[in-house]
Amino acid sequence: DQQVKQNSPSLSVQEGRISILNCDYTNSMFDYFLWYKKYPAEGPTFLISISSIKDKNEDGRFTVFLNKSAKHLSLHIVPSQPGDSAVYFCAARRYTGNQFYFGTGTSLTVIP
Amino acid sequence: DVKVTQSSRYLVKRTGEKVFLECVQDMDHENMFWYRQDPGLGLRLIYFSYDVKMKEKGDIPEGYSVSREKKERFSLILESASTNQTSMYLCASSPGGLYGYTFGSGTRLTVV
């Protein structure tokens, strides 16, 4: 049973515009969340994290928003650049848990 | 930087062969993980390990086994490869706690 879901398999955005990637989770016990970015033929790399005590975390062009009541998080990339074209995975876990649970991924294409 | 090294980038094996996928990390991390990545299914956990000689089943352990004889090395074994095990295999390590995972570059396995 998929506990972390990314319902959009793909997204295309013009360079310079905002990219919004969404992630939903079903387990209300999850309290720590990550976003990973993956280029083809490479392993995923860590992008940004957020804990449940916050509703927003920013790192340069990347901002993650968390809506605990909706069990929803989103990643905003502003402005989008062609180098951001990759597959993005969200991941969630409990503080007391053993592992992160990953979403199915969203393939972002930034069009120059 | 933590480095996670997977021994092969590409492998082609025949149905019924025994296949070994090797993973080595160089930062003394306690935890190591094996995932497979398939289109539309995201990252699915096969096995993980918290310590030497310890292993736990993930979400899809059937057809796989693992070995962790040394802290830095975590091997994934396909006892009798089948075509439905054709996939991208990703190894990851973590110091534990809320630290994210560091992934290797992946092994693209094709079973013919």
Side-chain angles (χ1 to χ4, degrees):
Chain A
D1 191 23
Q2 193 78 28
Q3 298 192 57
V4 180
K5 299 177 185 179
Q6 295 174 255
N7 292 319
S8 298
S10 63
L11 176 68
S12 290
V13 172
Q14 287 290 135
E15 181 178 3
R17 305 292 288 269
I18 184 171
S19 296
I20 300 176
L21 295 91
N22 293 305
C23 178
D24 297 293
Y25 59 96
T26 57
N27 190 337
S28 58
M29 301 297 287
F30 286 151
D31 43 24
Y32 192 68
F33 306 88
L34 306 177
W35 282 94
Y36 278 84
K37 175 179 178 178
K38 184 182 184 299
Y39 292 118
E42 294 184 16
T45 54
F46 169 76
L47 195 56
I48 193 168
S49 65
I50 190 167
S51 76
S52 59
I53 61 173
K54 292 185 167 184
D55 53 18
K56 177 182 173 182
N57 189 26
E58 261 181 284
D59 184 2
R61 296 186 297 114
F62 302 91
T63 302
V64 56
F65 295 92
L66 176 62
N67 182 333
K68 291 183 286 294
S69 60
K71 297 197 204 62
H72 177 83
L73 65 156
S74 60
L75 175 69
H76 292 208
I77 307 173
V78 185
S80 301
Q81 299 173 354
D84 296 330
S85 298
V87 177
Y88 290 79
F89 292 97
C90 63
R93 68 173 289 169
R94 298 169 57 180
Y95 281 119
T96 55
N98 297 330
Q99 59 168 295
F100 280 97
Y101 293 86
F102 286 83
T104 50
T106 296
S107 178
L108 172 67
T109 302
V110 179
I111 303 162
Chain B
D1 277 354
V2 176
K3 191 176 248 186
V4 178
T5 303
Q6 294 183 232
S7 53
S8 304
R9 294 299 295 270
Y10 300 95
L11 273 180
V12 180
K13 296 292 181 180
R14 294 197 178 277
T15 301
E17 275 193 76
K18 190 168 186 175
V19 181
F20 293 85
L21 302 183
E22 305 288 347
C23 175
V24 177
Q25 50 98 0
D26 65 0
M27 283 298 287
D28 202 37
H29 282 177
E30 302 294 329
N31 303 333
M32 297 188 74
F33 306 83
W34 275 106
Y35 286 87
R36 61 180 281 178
Q37 181 196 359
D38 299 288
L41 297 175
L43 300 177
R44 293 182 293 166
L45 182 63
I46 305 171
Y47 267 97
F48 58 105
S49 169
Y50 295 129
D51 202 351
V52 175
K53 298 193 187 292
M54 296 190 70
K55 58 186 179 184
E56 297 279 345
K57 292 180 180 179
D59 300 319
I60 52 163
E62 297 79 19
Y64 304 94
S65 62
V66 290
S67 172
R68 195 165 180 203
E69 296 295 320
K70 293 185 178 181
K71 192 173 187 178
E72 67 271 18
R73 185 179 297 269
F74 192 35
S75 303
L76 180 70
I77 303 154
L78 286 67
E79 296 290 342
S80 177
S82 63
T83 54
N84 63 12
Q85 292 178 310
T86 292
S87 186
M88 167 69 86
Y89 289 88
L90 291 160
C91 175
S93 74
S94 165
L98 292 178
Y99 288 94
Y101 301 168
T102 300
F103 284 88
S105 297
T107 296
R108 172 71 66 184
L109 172 67
T110 302
V111 182
V112 297

